[in-house]
Amino acid sequence: MKKNFKSAISIIFFIILFAVSSKAQQPAYVQVVSKSSPQLFPGNFPSKNSDEDLVSIEKINAKLLDRFNKNFSHATNVKWERLGDNYLAIFSINETNIRSLFNKNGKLLYRIDYCSENQVPSYIINWIKNDYDDYLRTHAAKVCEDNREIWIIQLSGQVYNKIVRLEDGEMDEVLNYQRAN
């Protein structure tokens, strides 16, 4: 289980860092985020770029599809990718982009919700403001794995960007890096 969790966290950091640095001609800090922005994360998350890498729905176990449809009945724009023996569902529900990893029998291994600012609970926002009042919240993701809920928030300051992790009443700064000039 810890291996799955570590994989999920690694994927989150890769996605955050890739999304922030994917604007090849612009430094990452040029991105403007305001309360009126519909998403804190960019709309298109890094994924396999080729349609050849996507798995057709006919090749997915019926039990897995049944569980997916039961848990995510309002999912739109569903795409499937194969990751080893597992299947990654990439989809949206309302304004939330979601990635969920299932094993081949349909067990949900983890779920990552990429949230807009209004979807981050107020207690999380207040908690972050206590220690990082001078920082703008630029990205937010909620990881659900093995009955755990972990929030990963990227913050942007004038000199430093930070990534904080919040779980079970504890906040850890997991990454701190100086912005490019």
Side-chain angles (χ1 to χ4, degrees):
M1 292 295 171
K2 288 186 179 188
K3 193 174 192 179
N4 286 338
F5 174 72
K6 287 180 182 178
S7 296
I9 294 299
S10 297
I11 289 170
I12 289 172
F13 287 129
F14 171 77
I15 290 169
I16 289 171
L17 293 174
F18 184 86
V20 170
S21 64
S22 66
K23 300 189 186 238
Q25 300 299 326
Q26 297 179 343
Y29 63 86
V30 172
Q31 180 180 4
V32 176
V33 178
S34 69
K35 294 225 181 238
S36 62
S37 298
Q39 290 284 329
L40 290 173
F41 277 97
N44 297 320
F45 297 98
S47 179
K48 295 180 178 178
N49 293 325
S50 170
D51 286 341
E52 299 166 6
D53 295 323
L54 298 176
V55 176
S56 69
I57 200 163
E58 294 82 23
K59 294 184 178 183
I60 297 174
N61 179 330
K63 188 174 182 180
L64 187 158
L65 286 175
D66 184 50
R67 290 216 176 134
F68 175 82
N69 289 326
K70 188 182 269 187
N71 289 320
F72 303 106
S73 60
H74 293 60
T76 59
N77 304 318
V78 180
K79 295 179 182 172
W80 291 91
E81 293 180 5
R82 182 139 189 175
L83 296 176
D85 291 335
N86 301 318
Y87 292 89
L88 179 68
I90 303 164
F91 57 98
S92 299
I93 296 178
N94 298 325
E95 293 181 14
T96 305
N97 292 313
I98 301 171
R99 289 177 179 247
S100 294
L101 186 69
F102 295 86
N103 70 14
K104 62 184 175 184
N105 296 318
K107 180 181 178 193
L108 180 63
L109 301 175
Y110 67 79
R111 168 184 173 164
I112 304 171
D113 295 8
Y114 299 93
C115 303
S116 63
E117 185 170 13
N118 64 355
Q119 295 168 310
V120 178
S122 60
Y123 76 92
I124 296 285
I125 292 171
N126 292 333
W127 193 1
I128 291 170
K129 280 183 181 179
N130 284 336
D131 291 341
Y132 300 99
D133 192 37
D134 294 339
Y135 286 80
L136 176 66
R137 292 174 307 279
T138 56
H139 298 85
K142 179 175 72 172
V143 179
C144 299
E145 190 259 343
D146 199 26
N147 293 320
R148 297 167 63 195
E149 182 177 287
I150 302 132
W151 283 90
I152 307 293
I153 311 287
Q154 182 174 354
L155 306 167
S156 179
Q158 290 185 356
V159 178
Y160 292 97
N161 288 336
K162 299 174 184 269
I163 295 177
V164 295
R165 175 186 174 278
L166 302 98
E167 179 185 17
D168 292 333
E170 294 185 25
M171 178 168 51
D172 299 310
E173 188 175 296
V174 295
L175 188 60
N176 180 359
Y177 56 98
Q178 191 168 359
R179 292 170 48 160
N181 290 330

